[in-house]
Amino acid sequence: MITHDKHIHTQFCPHGSKDSMFQYVERALELGMSSISFTEHAPLPEGFTDPVPQLDSAMSKEILPQYIEKCQQIKERFIGQIEINIGLEVDYVAGYEKETRNFLNTWGPELDDSILSVHFLKPVGGAYVCLDYDANAFQDLVRQCGSLKKVYELYFATLHSAISSDLGSFTPNRIGHISLVRKFQKLFPREFDDSSMLNETLQLLKKHDKAMDVNVAGLVKEFCKEIYPPVPWIEKAKNMNIPLYYGSDAHSAKQLGQNRHMVETLL
């Protein structure tokens, strides 16, 4: 049985629920979990402007100390009952590596766990877009890139840069939802095979000793309906001895541990 959940958001997520960390931990205990990681969206890199209309992709840097303090309090409250890791989901934004490294050098010592993810893409000559914000944003990416295939190529090129990046001694070791570009695949069906892109991703994870987020959130997304990444790629990663960690990507307490039965036999 899976007894961990390594990808959990909190009340500090501006686009999530207001469920308290206490509620998340209570849910984890109900499910018999022995370890969870709070991985709130880290503040975006200094100088980078959130491209989504609500400017709510991540918590602000002013809120971060409160988040860390609250994590520490809840960790101490449940000591001996469940292992609680203080973590962040850090965005890799191409062109902002120096700023991200500086951030991690400052806050890395406070963390037990972290994820490095790609949410933002910058087409050549275009503006940054949050690829998973909504279908309209994804359509804008297709327009800016010139084709759906070029969006996939840009996503995986950015993801591969993230995997290979040196962001200092606190570079996150786990890579988040490696097939997030498929979130709207039922609206934007592929007429090409992205297997080589996924295969290269696994090769790079292995080369750079990275762990992989087995993220079930895609199963409940209306236009995705699959795990990030899909089962065959989880199986291949396992055969390559890439460390795999279940993540619900919960944005509410009830989502913690969601669909873990779907990957029980894979991890």
Side-chain angles (χ1 to χ4, degrees), residues 150-162:
K150 289 187 180 299
V151 171
Y152 274 64
E153 289 171 347
L154 177 59
Y155 171 75
F156 281 104
T158 306
L159 183 67
H160 297 165
S161 294

Side-chain angles (χ1 to χ4, degrees), residues 20-30 33-34 36 38 70-84:
S20 68
M21 286 183 180
F22 179 86
Q23 289 174 284
Y24 281 93
V25 177
E26 287 287 282
R27 176 61 176 158
L29 290 171
E30 286 175 10
M33 291 194 169
S34 60
I36 61 172
F38 288 119
K70 194 66 177 177
C71 283
Q72 291 170 337
Q73 291 173 354
I74 205 82
K75 182 176 183 175
E76 292 171 9
R77 179 171 181 173
F78 286 93
I79 194 166
Q81 297 182 61
I82 186 171
E83 177 186 81
I84 298 173

Side-chain angles (χ1 to χ4, degrees), residues 1 109 198:
M1 182 176 73
L198 282 160

Side-chain angles (χ1 to χ4, degrees), residues 170-222:
F170 296 101
T171 301
N173 186 58
R174 187 160 73 261
I175 304 299
H177 40 58
I178 67 168
S179 61
L180 184 64
V181 71
R182 289 182 168 204
K183 181 175 179 178
F184 301 105
Q185 63 182 345
K186 293 187 180 297
L187 289 177
F188 301 89
R190 292 178 301 280
E191 295 181 353
F192 56 88
D193 187 356
D194 61 350
S195 295
S196 63
M197 303 177 202
L198 282 160
N199 186 61
E200 184 178 354
T201 302
L202 296 191
Q203 297 296 332
L204 283 172
L205 289 174
K206 182 67 176 179
K207 176 181 177 181
H208 293 279
D209 297 318
K210 299 293 187 182
M212 191 175 83
D213 176 37
V214 177
N215 190 306
V216 298
L219 286 170
V220 298
K221 301 303 181 184
E222 180 181 5

